[in-house]
């Protein structure tokens, strides 16, 4: 798995890990039914705590991205890519509405808002 974590980020490591795994699933780098590394193996590979990987995996399972099978491992959830994408788009829309509302409160027009988004997009 090609997971990028930024130790200097304000975002907690477990959130970064969760976001990276979601990115890999949505981009189909991780396919439905594919096994994930064990929590211990992933923690070792990334140089992070097993507790951190456990929290990220639990959140991902709660969100329906992965399934854990006792004694067998953790796998990318099957048959719900469309549902997951819809949920993700809904979350994105909610966040965008918040930023648009804030922009209006700050008297930032659409052009300036788009400029900000373009700059941040390029930085990411």
């Amino acid at each position: 798995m090609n997971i990028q974590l930024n130790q200097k980020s304000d975002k907690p490591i477990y959130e970064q890990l969760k976001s990276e795994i979601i990115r890999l699933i949505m981009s189909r780098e991780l396919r439905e039914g594919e096994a994930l590394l064990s929590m211990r193996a992933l923690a070792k590979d990334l140089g992070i705590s097993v507790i951190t990987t456990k929290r990220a995996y639990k959140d991902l399972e709660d969100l329906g991205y992965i399934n854990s099978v006792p004694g067998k491992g953790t796998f990318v959830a099957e048959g719900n890519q469309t549902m997951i994408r819809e949920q993700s788009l809904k979350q994105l829309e909610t966040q965008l509405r918040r930023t648009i509302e804030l922009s209006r409160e700050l008297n930032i027009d659409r052009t300036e808002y788009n400029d900000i988004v373009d700059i941040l997009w390029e930085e990411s």
Side-chain angles (χ1 to χ4, degrees):
M1 283 192 291
N2 182 21
I3 294 176
Q4 304 292 321
L5 301 177
N6 181 352
Q7 300 289 343
K8 295 179 182 179
S9 173
D10 291 338
K11 190 175 182 182
I13 296 295
Y14 82 93
E15 285 284 347
Q16 291 181 50
L17 178 56
K18 185 170 73 171
S19 295
E20 283 291 290
I21 293 173
I22 290 170
R23 178 186 62 78
L24 292 170
I25 292 170
M26 297 311 293
S27 70
R28 304 210 191 283
E29 288 181 53
L30 285 174
R31 301 214 179 266
E32 292 181 10
E34 186 173 340
L36 300 178
L37 290 175
S38 72
M39 288 182 246
R40 291 184 196 282
L42 184 58
K44 184 178 179 185
D45 282 358
L46 298 174
I48 60 176
S49 163
V50 173
I51 294 168
T52 301
T53 57
K54 183 177 181 178
R55 183 165 182 191
Y57 273 27
K58 182 187 179 325
D59 286 357
L60 289 164
E61 189 163 12
D62 291 346
L63 292 168
Y65 287 97
I66 63 174
N67 295 317
S68 295
V69 180
K72 295 196 176 203
T74 304
F75 303 87
V76 175
E78 292 189 35
N80 63 352
Q81 290 295 326
T82 302
M83 188 262 317
I84 289 171
R85 179 155 175 81
E86 285 300 316
Q87 287 177 339
S88 298
L89 289 173
K90 187 175 179 181
Q91 288 177 331
L92 176 62
E93 288 170 6
T94 299
Q95 292 295 326
L96 287 171
R97 278 191 182 92
R98 288 183 188 143
T99 62
I100 290 168
E101 289 170 7
L102 179 59
S103 296
R104 287 182 174 151
E105 289 173 14
L106 298 172
N107 292 322
I108 295 173
D109 65 22
R110 187 175 185 166
T111 302
E112 188 175 4
Y113 177 86
N114 288 335
D115 289 344
I116 293 167
V117 170
D118 289 343
I119 290 167
L120 293 175
W121 188 275
E122 293 302 319
E123 288 178 359
S124 297

